[in-house]
Amino acid sequence: MNQLIDFVLVTVVLFSIGIYGLVVKRNAIRMIFSIEIIANAANLNLIAFSRHVHNVEGQVFALFSIAIAAAEVAVALGIIIIAYRLYKEIDVHEFRSLKG
Amino acid sequence: MVDAYFVGIAILTIGSSVLALESKELIYGAIALAISMLGIAGFFLLLDSPFVAMFQITVYVGAVAVLVIFTVMLVRTQDLFSAKDDKGRKAGGIILMLLTMGGIGAIFLASGINNPMFGNLDSEPIKIVEIGKSMLTYYSPALIVLGLTLAGAVIGALALARREVLIKENESAN
């Protein structure tokens, strides 16, 4: 029988992989991949707790979170395409004019 | 003890999310990300949440993955594939990953949820009717705001696409 801790450990591993991608990768699309992996780890956590504590809110929040993540990806990819038109590059280190 | 389904889905999900970040070609990375999302949907099924699993497959594997693949095709350049990660940066990233994994994992293992008595899967799974009820009663304002957010995202994306045309028109007018 699967325990809650097994699911939580999988989410910890996925979250760490996402953090690694955000720190190391310079390609903007790969950074979006990392953000998606982290968001999915969070959703899995919500569902795992919702099932084991028997609470509906976890599933409702997961549904909201999935919809928000979809909107976020659409906007992020739009920004990447605009940045590519301007710089002909999707390396985040090359987007110098956004530097503070 | 975990069962074989859990181990299989965990290996699929974690392996393909590593591949999504480390594959040479960006397009294979996008496909690996879609497989990883599918693995998460498999976890949702293991947790008796078929509705969320269906939503996950529709939104992530159906919409987001296709969107990402189209973007990868649009921004395809030669430099993209030859760009190498900085060695020191990569080592730092791996150390940070292991520290995060060990730290948060140790906290969870030491906490009360490690107790097998905490929560149980023997209880009734949550019914879809209950999700619908709470979404349309208590959380209905959140649902409306969510709809407006999605509409705003679509309008924003259209505005981003429109601006390029306007700039070109201004340039030709000048």
Side-chain angles (χ1 to χ4, degrees):
Chain A
M1 205 61 189
N2 303 321
Q3 302 293 335
L4 174 58
I5 189 75
D6 305 325
F7 290 101
V8 172
L9 288 180
V10 170
T11 64
V12 168
V13 172
L14 283 176
F15 175 76
S16 315
I17 291 170
I19 292 284
Y20 160 80
L22 271 185
V23 171
V24 173
K25 297 297 168 188
R26 290 167 26 177
N27 187 325
I29 294 182
R30 290 228 199 250
M31 292 179 91
I32 289 194
F33 288 1
S34 312
I35 294 171
E36 288 306 304
I37 290 169
I38 293 177
N40 270 284
N43 287 343
L44 179 56
N45 228 346
L46 278 173
I47 297 287
F49 272 91
S50 146
R51 177 74 184 93
H52 285 83
V53 193
H54 196 79
N55 193 337
V56 190
E57 266 76 19
Q59 297 208 9
V60 176
F61 285 172
L63 289 173
F64 284 148
S65 156
I66 290 172
I68 291 289
E72 167 232 311
V73 169
V75 172
L77 290 177
I79 292 173
I80 286 177
I81 289 178
I82 294 292
Y84 177 72
R85 275 188 199 156
L86 291 174
Y87 297 94
K88 298 285 165 221
E89 181 72 72
I90 56 169
D91 188 332
V92 287
H93 287 216
E94 302 295 326
F95 299 161
R96 290 188 195 285
S97 62
L98 291 179
K99 251 185 189 169
Chain B
M1 220 22 231
V2 295
D3 54 20
Y5 291 120
F6 182 91
V7 174
I9 295 174
I11 291 172
L12 179 80
T13 309
I14 293 170
S16 53
S17 57
V18 169
L19 195 66
L21 294 176
E22 290 299 333
S23 66
K24 282 256 179 335
E25 292 253 2
L26 204 49
I27 194 102
Y28 294 148
I31 294 167
L33 186 76
I35 295 171
S36 170
M37 304 303 174
L38 213 57
I40 297 277
F43 275 126
F44 290 169
L45 285 178
L46 278 188
L47 285 162
D48 302 320
S49 315
F51 183 66
V52 188
M54 187 201 75
F55 207 76
Q56 168 93 4
I57 293 174
T58 318
V59 173
Y60 272 111
V61 187
V64 171
V66 172
L67 200 63
V68 168
I69 288 172
F70 268 107
T71 312
V72 170
M73 285 171 174
L74 280 176
V75 299
R76 187 174 272 254
T77 58
Q78 213 50 44
D79 305 342
L80 230 67
F81 307 123
S82 52
K84 282 268 184 296
D85 294 325
D86 188 1
K87 278 263 163 28
R89 202 181 171 82
K90 194 164 187 172
I94 290 174
I95 290 170
L96 183 68
M97 176 177 76
L98 293 177
L99 278 180
T100 321
M101 224 182 269
I104 306 179
I107 291 172
F108 277 125
L109 284 173
S111 72
I113 62 167
N114 196 13
N115 189 339
M117 298 311 288
F118 182 86
N120 53 338
L121 280 172
D122 303 330
S123 61
E124 278 267 295
I126 290 159
K127 290 195 184 72
I128 297 174
V129 177
E130 289 178 56
I131 303 173
K133 257 185 201 161
S134 64
M135 256 194 164
L136 291 177
T137 53
Y138 188 74
Y139 291 105
S140 62
L143 196 66
I144 294 167
V145 172
L146 185 70
L148 289 175
T149 311
L150 285 173
V154 171
I155 293 168
L158 287 177
L160 279 176
R162 176 90 183 120
R163 190 169 293 163
E164 177 82 356
V165 180
L166 284 179
I167 290 168
K168 272 186 186 157
E169 276 172 4
N170 286 344
E171 277 172 1
S172 57
N174 292 334

